[in-house]
Amino acid sequence: MLTPPFSSLPAEDVSGESGGVVSTISSSRSPLQPPDADDGEPFTTYFDSKIPIPEDETHSCFSFRKLWAFTGPGFLMSIAYLDPGNIESDLQSGAVAGFKLLWVLMLATIIGLLLQRLAARLGVVTGLHLAEVCNRQYHKVGPRGGAGFPRIILWLMVELAIIGSDMQEVIGSAIAINLLSVGKIPLWGGVLITIADTFVFLFLDKYGLRKLEAFFGLLITIMALTFGYEYITVKPNQTKLLQGLFIPYCKDCGTPQLEQAVGIVGAVIMPHNMYLHSALVKSRQVNRADKREVREANKYFFIESCIALFVSFIINIFVVTVFAQAFFQKTNADVNMVCANSSIPHSALFPNNNETLEVDIYKGGVVLGCYFGPAALYIWAIGILAAGQSSTMTGTYSGQFVMEGFLNLRWSRFARVLLTRSIAVTPTLFVAIFQDVEHLTGMNDFLNVLMSLQLPFALIPVLTFTSLPSIMFWKVAGGLLILLICCINMYFVVAYVMSLHNLGLYIGAAVLSVIYLSFVAYLTWLCLVALGASFLACGNTVSVTRTLHPEQPPSHPPK
């Protein structure tokens, strides 16, 4: 019989506001306790020193100085909403459904914001990020404790999501380099360049955290300017834009549009991003023994996240509306005729037939060049390159947080990026050498499916360890929200597998589905017990904490 590895801590509202933190605390060690003496000093990843927060002598309800001090983690987190896979989902949404799915993008961004708030609160209140909490809570299985199989499986699933995201970033950067070089640098050359530039960017954090955050801000600015240029050039219909945003309806939509809607949700809500944000907030000096400081940190991190995701949402709007306005319901023949009269390279990509135009990151740049001139193509490529490089860096940090949190492996940044980048580059390089750009961009569909499958392994732990202490509505609403997201993404996965038309793949997918769903059910069971469903505890006495205690941890944990 399984014994849920929970014990209780005193219940107390950490924040003094709506949104406490629930934890299922391992009996072996409280998350509020520092590592044992023989564990060595707590390790850091990309922050060797924490950013101090200025004192506010007037104790006003809002301070721009404090907001500026807290600004950084939210913008680094928001970069995952602008990676090449997300950009490709945006442009395909516009080309396939026009302006009709903008409300889905807005809703997915709002849901992402709520989930990111929970992840940030976990890091602020506990002083641990999500991977560290998962390591301690999913550590033992069985009445006497055993191997940490749930922890290892959870780590592997998150690593798969990070590697899949890394591959999309490599693909996007390689395509951008190919477009910028007018095809002189082959795709495989662009893949190799992404290996070198990642190590170059890793030197940036030697100059301090704030400079690193400023560099990421620069990359986001480049994306805003480049995709904003495309928006101004194409001049989308503003009436249709507003209708698409605020009217949750998709007239005359069929299966292709439904699949695009599902793809938007999967692309926006990234599993490893939850782990990243919960760790990034630890870079600020917050005294967790002071309730006022905890409330203040939660408030400013939420404001910053709202601003950062609003910026990323606007950039996503730029991409969707550009392709909705210019290329919705266009045929290959329409594009072929325009490209034939232009000097844009690669214009032969589009056959002269009446099939509906299908675009991806590569074709999208070529089409923009054919219709709006070479400047549109090269500016598009610069934006994609900025997206690929920025998300590459955040993926690197996500990977290190996850590895250190789950396994306590203190790898250097360079060793970590060498491992993940090698895994990501190898299959991408083979496709780039032996296939063409069609197969390279086609890998994004598979990678989106892969990351959709990993979503439960971030969303369920977030709900398990965070909740309002006294409001049942949040427990129900949070659970239903995550169930909805998981069901939407499972539909996307099933639709993808069915489109392959291969019996062997069907059988393999069925076997893997049983294993996959069994583990998801296990995590869901622990989540329900944590949220108060003690009747599911299999006869064991389970005391579940409602809120983590904010007191400063003792210098030596009790033995």
Side-chain angles (χ1 to χ4, degrees):
M1 180 179 295
L2 294 175
T3 303
F6 304 152
S7 65
S8 63
L9 285 176
E12 183 176 348
D13 188 355
V14 173
S15 63
E17 58 174 307
S18 62
V21 178
V22 165
S23 178
T24 54
I25 306 302
S26 172
S27 58
S28 60
R29 181 188 295 164
S30 165
L32 295 173
Q33 297 169 357
D36 291 329
D38 56 0
D39 287 345
E41 292 297 322
F43 51 84
T44 60
T45 302
Y46 83 107
F47 35 79
D48 295 324
S49 60
K50 294 190 176 184
I51 305 299
I53 306 301
E55 291 293 333
D56 184 8
E57 296 180 357
T58 62
H59 297 290
S60 59
C61 61
F62 182 80
S63 167
F64 281 103
R65 289 179 66 240
K66 286 194 173 183
L67 178 61
W68 177 248
F70 282 106
T71 297
F75 280 91
L76 267 66
M77 169 272 296
S78 72
I79 285 173
Y81 290 71
L82 298 168
D83 72 349
N86 212 335
I87 298 299
E88 180 158 317
S89 174
D90 290 338
L91 65 90
Q92 289 177 346
S93 168
V96 171
F99 298 88
K100 300 174 184 177
L101 296 180
L102 285 174
W103 64 273
V104 177
L105 175 62
M106 182 171 67
L107 186 60
T109 304
I110 293 172
I111 293 173
L113 172 64
L114 297 177
L115 294 172
Q116 289 296 342
R117 188 194 185 199
L118 293 181
R121 293 179 69 83
L122 180 68
V124 170
V125 174
T126 66
L128 301 173
H129 57 73
L130 183 57
E132 291 172 321
V133 177
C134 288
N135 178 25
R136 299 184 183 193
Q137 304 321 309
Y138 299 125
H139 185 63
K140 294 181 179 180
V141 179
R144 296 183 178 84
F149 291 123
R151 178 190 61 187
I152 299 299
I153 295 173
L154 195 59
W155 168 67
L156 290 174
M157 293 297 101
V158 179
E159 286 288 357
L160 277 177
I162 293 171
I163 292 170
S165 177
D166 207 25
M167 289 180 68
Q168 287 187 317
E169 292 144 13
V170 170
I171 292 170
S173 297
I175 289 174
I177 292 170
N178 181 266
L179 290 173
L180 287 171
S181 66
V182 198
K184 292 181 179 179
I185 298 179
L187 291 171
W188 60 265
V191 172
L192 293 177
I193 289 174
T194 63
I195 302 175
D197 63 19
T198 302
F199 286 100
V200 172
F201 286 138
L202 280 178
F203 284 106
L204 289 173
D205 63 6
K206 300 295 183 183
Y207 294 97
L209 177 58
R210 294 300 272 178
K211 292 183 176 64
L212 178 68
E213 292 173 344
F215 175 72
F216 281 110
L218 173 64
L219 292 176
I220 293 175
T221 303
I222 292 173
M223 283 184 270
L225 292 175
T226 52
F227 297 134
Y229 170 85
E230 309 289 357
Y231 180 85
I232 294 172
T233 301
V234 176
K235 299 181 177 65
N237 186 307
Q238 300 302 300
T239 301
K240 291 183 179 179
L241 189 158
L242 293 174
Q243 288 175 344
L245 273 177
F246 298 108
I247 299 178
Y249 181 67
C250 191
K251 184 179 180 181
D252 300 324
C253 289
T255 301
Q257 289 76 20
L258 178 59
E259 290 179 358
Q260 287 302 321
V262 172
I264 289 173
V265 177
V268 168
I269 304 175
M270 307 285 282
H272 59 282
N273 214 21
M274 304 291 171
Y275 292 86
L276 174 67
H277 199 195
S278 66
L280 292 174
V281 297
K282 293 171 58 179
S283 61
R284 269 54 181 178
Q285 285 183 356
V286 177
N287 180 10
R288 293 187 296 114
D290 188 332
K291 292 183 183 181
R292 183 185 62 83
E293 285 196 25
V294 173
R295 286 197 301 269
E296 187 176 73
N298 285 329
K299 177 180 71 175
Y300 283 110
F301 277 131
F302 180 62
I303 294 172
E304 187 229 1
S305 296
C306 290
I307 297 171
L309 289 187
F310 178 74
V311 172
S312 69
F313 174 66
I314 294 299
I315 295 174
N316 285 319
I317 287 288
F318 288 161
V319 178
V320 174
T321 54
V322 162
F323 283 84
Q325 178 68 35
F327 308 116
F328 177 53
Q329 293 182 332
K330 286 285 195 304
T331 65
N332 286 328
D334 296 330
V335 178
N336 179 276
M337 181 174 62
V338 175
C339 287
N341 297 321
S342 70
S343 59
I344 298 298
H346 317 297
S347 57
L349 283 169
F350 309 99
N352 189 12
N353 59 42
N354 290 322
E355 293 183 6
T356 303
L357 174 67
E358 294 183 1
V359 289
D360 48 42
I361 291 177
Y362 187 80
K363 287 183 178 179
V366 175
V367 170
L368 286 172
C370 291
Y371 276 78
F372 304 103
L377 184 151
Y378 296 121
I379 292 174
W380 168 262
I382 292 172
I384 296 298
L385 184 62
Q389 296 306 309
S390 58
S391 51
T392 291
M393 293 298 295
T394 55
T396 298
Y397 292 127
S398 297
Q400 189 157 4
F401 290 138
V402 166
M403 178 174 283
E404 291 177 347
F406 277 108
L407 304 181
N408 291 321
L409 292 180
R410 309 181 189 185
W411 283 25
S412 70
R413 285 174 283 271
F414 294 94
R416 167 71 207 186
V417 74
L418 181 63
L419 172 66
T420 55
R421 183 45 53 101
S422 299
I423 296 173
V425 160
T426 302
T428 311
L429 188 60
F430 273 100
V431 173
I433 293 174
F434 297 108
Q435 299 290 340
D436 53 19
V437 70
E438 295 283 342
H439 292 86
L440 190 63
T441 56
M443 289 177 67
N444 272 327
D445 292 334
F446 170 76
L447 295 173
N448 282 333
V449 170
L450 178 67
M451 283 184 285
S452 295
L453 283 170
Q454 312 312 316
L455 266 178
F457 307 118
L459 302 186
I460 295 176
V462 164
L463 183 62
T464 301
F465 306 127
T466 60
S467 181
L468 293 179
S470 59
I471 302 178
M472 180 60 68
F473 170 77
W474 170 248
K475 298 178 182 180
V476 176
L480 291 177
L481 180 62
I482 290 176
L483 178 63
L484 175 64
I485 295 172
C486 292
C487 288
I488 287 174
N489 283 278
M490 284 304 297
Y491 171 85
F492 181 59
V493 172
V494 171
Y496 174 80
V497 173
M498 295 298 291
S499 68
L500 299 176
H501 304 296
N502 188 302
L503 180 60
L505 291 176
Y506 293 164
I507 296 174
V511 174
L512 291 176
S513 295
V514 172
I515 300 173
Y516 171 86
L517 292 174
S518 297
F519 188 62
V520 171
Y522 170 79
L523 295 179
T524 303
W525 169 61
L526 293 182
C527 180
L528 291 173
V529 173
L531 295 180
S534 57
F535 64 92
L536 296 175
C538 301
N540 295 282
T541 302
V542 180
S543 180
V544 181
T545 314
R546 292 292 181 248
T547 316
L548 281 176
H549 204 315
E551 292 179 353
Q552 192 73 14
S555 58
H556 297 286
K559 299 294 184 181

